[in-house]
Amino acid sequence: MMNKRQRINKLTVSVIGISALLALSACSGDDTSTEEVSTANEPADTTVAIADTPVVESEVTESEIATPEPEVELEPVEAPVTTEEPVAEVAAEPEVLAADAGAKLYESNCQVCHAAGLLDAPKYGDKAAWAARLTKGKDTLHMHSAKGFNKMPAQVTDKVSEAQVYAAVDYMIAAVS
């Protein structure tokens, strides 16, 4: 039988475990945990064997053989001249964000790990922790935050755009610059 002290310890360990799980899931920013198995919805590779059928040769008479028709000369026709100007590709316009978009995303998603330093995340405003990362360059930090790197999961989801993630990274960089 467990005494009161053992039950409290077991409860404490359970609470800490659940808290860690929630913190890790909050870092990903993805509210859904559904994964589709790519092979489950694909049709199975089926091979159909066709029995060899014998080829029946039939006799062809000379009257059935088509005679070539005489060639008819056609008059040359000039191709119509069209003056089409090349169509310029329209580049996708960058997403316009509010001035505080980075701060809002930081408060809602990033703060979970970056305030406490979970998963070796550099703490917000800690110049020493950010120094090594800043040497890689801003573009690398943007890419790592959007697509994931080492222990940091990808932050771009169906609810968070790449531009929003970049704004949050810029917000955190501004705090140490």
Side-chain angles (χ1 to χ4, degrees):
M1 207 77 195
M2 291 192 326
N3 64 22
K4 187 175 180 180
R5 181 77 174 155
Q6 290 173 327
R7 284 186 291 199
I8 291 174
N9 286 342
K10 187 174 182 179
L11 181 63
T12 304
V13 169
S14 297
V15 169
I16 291 172
I18 291 172
S19 298
L21 251 170
L22 290 174
L24 291 176
S25 66
C27 286
S28 70
D30 191 10
D31 292 337
T32 60
S33 61
T34 59
E35 292 183 17
E36 293 182 22
V37 178
S38 62
T39 58
N41 294 332
E42 294 178 7
D45 184 26
T46 57
T47 306
V48 178
I50 300 175
D52 290 334
T53 56
V55 177
V56 179
E57 294 183 20
S58 62
E59 294 182 24
V60 179
T61 62
E62 281 188 33
S63 62
E64 293 175 343
I65 297 175
T67 57
E69 298 202 14
E71 292 184 23
V72 179
E73 289 188 28
L74 298 175
E75 293 181 23
V77 178
E78 291 183 26
V81 179
T82 58
T83 56
E84 293 183 23
E85 299 200 16
V87 178
E89 289 187 28
V90 178
E93 292 184 22
E95 185 178 348
V96 178
L97 299 174
D100 63 342
K104 284 183 180 178
L105 185 63
Y106 173 80
E107 294 296 325
S108 65
N109 289 12
C110 309
Q111 184 178 18
V112 174
C113 295
H114 286 278
L118 291 176
L119 301 173
D120 297 328
K123 291 183 179 181
Y124 178 77
D126 184 358
K127 290 183 180 187
W130 280 93
R133 289 163 176 88
L134 289 173
T135 59
K136 295 179 182 179
K138 189 175 182 179
D139 292 335
T140 303
L141 288 174
H142 283 164
M143 183 182 66
H144 288 172
S145 62
K147 298 180 186 209
F149 183 73
N150 288 340
K151 294 179 185 177
M152 181 176 177
Q155 299 300 309
V156 175
T157 63
D158 57 341
K159 296 178 183 175
V160 179
S161 72
E162 197 169 272
Q164 289 173 314
V165 172
Y166 291 178
V169 171
D170 293 341
Y171 172 75
M172 288 187 276
I173 290 173
V176 295
S177 296

